[in-house]
Amino acid sequence: MTSVAADAAESITFKSITIRSEKIGDREIDITEGVSNIDIYEHIDKPHLTAAITFMDSQDVIASARIGGGERIEIVLQSTREGSDSEPVSKIFYLDTIITSSKLGDNTEFFVLHLIEDIGFISSLQNINKAYSDNPSNILKGIATSFLGKTLVSTENTQKKMKLIVPNLTPIETMAWIKNMSCTTEGYPFYLLSNLVSDELNFVDLKTLLSAPVLNPEEPFSYSEATMPTGGPLSTSHRRVIKGYTFKDTDNLLSLIKKGLVGAEYRYLNPTKAEDNHYTFDVQKDVVDKIPETQYHFNNEYMVKGKSFNAYSSRTITQVGSTEAYDKGSSYHQSDKDHYKLNTINRAVDHLLKNNPLTITVNGVDFLDGTSHHTIGRKIAVLFMRNTAPEDTDYYYDNRKSGDFLIFSAKHSFDRETYTTSLTCLKISDGDIT
């Protein structure tokens, strides 16, 4: 196979990496030439990015400017792949921690700096103790604008209206708290995320993500040493070669049983009205049969004493909900039995989907053109061959690791010669593989 360096040569450029801080006045410190590596992390469950950079300091930047945390670092990158109409990608981070440093000689020191996206740092400086009354989308939009200076884009605005008092949380903690109680009318969970290309925050439901088209239906990312890619080192066939993969921490069914997400009884008590909102949860009936757009890696044919796992009430979970806290409208924890059950379905779908992750490492140039977002929350086609000799079968594909996948997290790794992306993906269907 072609080497990583050859595949990604000159596909990315570090346009500028600069440090700013009020304590150094109006001065801007350019450290572009000293940075050798950048890792940027996106995650579908996090509304901010994180990053790490390696920096060779031979100009006494860290000591003379007394860099130690809280400085703003702007990173500007751009794809230079031939034929691409790329735009620069700019992100502002704050220095979180100097992870390590070591002297490489009398006049040079090596630093690894950990960064957090600006909204993550700014959020940690603020505290919300305030009442809200609206649907989740509108509450989140108001918080994003007022406290973080960000626009939030939402996919659905039909969630149930809620009233709540935020109990001394940061803006991002508040948004995550609200997001965790939000779901569509069918029970699909919502995700609140930030991505590398866009400056907006996205509040998006899983159904919308699953209904979007696959990015690469004609050219799957493929892991096959028997198939040599054709064309130049940055041709599509070369870029879609999987350079490495991991498939671990999968199919942990026991943990789902212990969380009450396979078969369980739920009770939400209303002490004021002496009501017991009681329901049973069966993952087969309530999730697999009703929400079939994805693969859940659960099979009701597994049995103990002739009884399917989901038919057991493995846990009894009782909670006391708030009752009539407001004259008009429900509080954060107040609802009816149907909505309580939707919250359980919401949690089950999320946990089941994440129960079978595949991480692949590929050439990164498909994921940073600067004009559109192609990583977390997007769908890709992946192809692996079966663990059997071709002459022994007329079916060549590994159905467990092949098909359409939803990108759950991404690690963008840049250096002066290469750009690779490690994608943690969740299988949602067999796609076009037959």
Side-chain angles (χ1 to χ4, degrees), residues 50-182:
T50 57
I53 64 175
T54 59
F55 170 52
M56 296 291 186
D57 186 4
S58 58
Q59 303 294 324
D60 198 33
V61 170
I62 301 296
S64 62
R66 298 184 180 181
I67 304 298
E71 291 80 12
R72 295 185 300 279
I73 299 181
E74 182 178 14
I75 298 175
V76 183
L77 306 166
Q78 186 169 7
S79 171
T80 58
R81 178 161 60 90
E82 184 178 354
S84 67
D85 296 323
S86 67
E87 296 289 338
V89 171
S90 174
K91 279 290 178 179
I92 296 176
F93 296 87
Y94 276 77
L95 175 59
D96 177 17
T97 309
I98 298 179
I99 298 173
T100 186
S101 66
S102 58
K103 290 288 262 185
L104 301 181
D106 289 342
N107 305 113
T108 303
E109 191 166 0
F110 169 86
F111 290 90
V112 178
L113 310 179
H114 185 269
L115 315 177
I116 183 171
E117 190 179 0
D118 54 357
I119 59 172
F121 195 93
I122 292 169
S123 173
S124 67
L125 296 171
Q126 301 178 79
N127 174 68
I128 299 180
N129 189 358
K130 183 178 178 180
Y132 289 94
S133 176
D134 210 326
N135 62 55
S137 292
N138 289 338
I139 295 175
L140 294 177
K141 288 177 182 178
I143 293 171
T145 301
S146 300
F147 292 92
L148 304 177
K150 288 285 185 179
T151 300
L152 183 139
V153 177
S154 175
T155 56
E156 185 176 304
N157 201 28
T158 60
Q159 307 101 331
K160 182 179 178 181
K161 183 176 180 179
M162 64 169 63
K163 287 189 174 185
L164 59 97
I165 298 175
V166 180
N168 294 310
L169 300 175
T170 69
I172 282 182
E173 288 172 342
T174 302
M175 296 173 81
W177 187 49
I178 295 170
K179 180 265 296 183
N180 290 338
M181 285 293 287
S182 302

Side-chain angles (χ1 to χ4, degrees), residues 68 174 222 282:
T174 302
S222 302
D282 181 326

Side-chain angles (χ1 to χ4, degrees), residues 251-306:
D251 301 310
N252 191 349
L253 182 60
L254 182 58
S255 70
L256 299 179
I257 292 172
K258 291 180 177 179
K259 292 173 181 175
L261 298 178
V262 173
E265 291 187 10
Y266 286 82
R267 295 179 182 274
Y268 283 84
L269 303 180
N270 183 333
T272 302
K273 294 185 176 181
E275 292 178 349
D276 180 358
N277 289 294
H278 171 266
Y279 61 90
T280 58
F281 175 75
D282 181 326
V283 69
Q284 182 69 39
K285 295 178 181 178
D286 295 320
V287 175
V288 178
D289 293 343
K290 289 184 177 180
I291 304 179
E293 288 92 343
T294 185
Q295 294 190 357
Y296 296 109
H297 306 283
F298 175 82
N299 193 317
N300 62 359
E301 295 178 0
Y302 289 114
M303 296 187 179
V304 171
K305 297 181 180 180

Side-chain angles (χ1 to χ4, degrees), residues 149 307 338 364 427:
K307 190 175 179 180
D338 290 340
K427 187 170 181 181

